Amino acid sequence: MNYSSLPLVCMDSLAMLEDSLEGQTMLSRGFVGRYVEMWPQRYARLQTALGAGNVEDAAEAALSIFSSSVMVGAERLGQMSGDMVEWIKQGHPDKAQEALNAVALCGTETMTDLKDRYVQPTG
């Protein structure tokens, strides 16, 4: 899959999140801010589990990244982590291991984008 064709962040998804919270922008920004804060721990859990060959924990870690990414409109990271879940479930954790560096880079770019455009916008 060509992940670069997906946006890092879908602002429409963030608008839908705000709508679901009855327009409470600060609550939504706080939720997304917490997602950003938790990224290092989520990624570390995935990396550690894959490195240790703990397939069950790796699948759960990838699923955590996937589900939370979908909630905050992190489309590219959501797709990448969703693919990792599938690879692990299909018995190919080696594919997930090979994708770790790309997921780390995408995660860093996504967190920066979310902070700059949504959590702490300057404009």
Side-chain angles (χ1 to χ4, degrees):
M1 160 141 219
N2 180 8
Y3 297 110
S4 63
S5 66
L6 298 170
L8 286 173
V9 175
C10 175
M11 297 306 283
D12 289 342
S13 295
L14 290 169
M16 288 184 351
L17 176 61
E18 283 185 25
D19 288 347
S20 73
L21 297 171
E22 299 176 353
Q24 295 185 33
T25 303
M26 294 311 295
L27 181 58
S28 179
R29 285 186 179 162
F31 179 78
V32 174
R34 185 73 175 130
Y35 165 82
V36 170
E37 289 173 8
M38 292 177 68
W39 167 246
Q41 293 91 343
R42 282 191 174 112
Y43 177 76
R45 180 178 175 209
L46 177 62
Q47 183 181 40
T48 299
L50 284 171
N54 185 336
V55 176
E56 184 175 316
D57 199 38
E60 289 176 10
L63 182 59
S64 174
I65 293 170
F66 169 73
S67 61
S68 58
S69 295
V70 169
M71 283 192 288
V72 301
E75 285 193 21
R76 192 179 306 172
L77 187 56
Q79 183 65 55
M80 292 174 89
S81 56
D83 286 350
M84 291 180 99
V85 171
E86 289 304 312
W87 294 330
I88 294 166
K89 284 177 21 185
Q90 294 170 1
H92 302 289
D94 54 312
K95 285 186 176 182
Q97 179 75 39
E98 291 170 11
L100 269 176
N101 287 339
V103 168
L105 178 60
C106 180
T108 299
E109 291 172 347
T110 300
M111 300 315 131
T112 299
D113 197 30
L114 282 167
K115 283 191 284 190
D116 290 350
R117 292 198 307 149
Y118 189 73
V119 177
Q120 302 167 341
T122 58

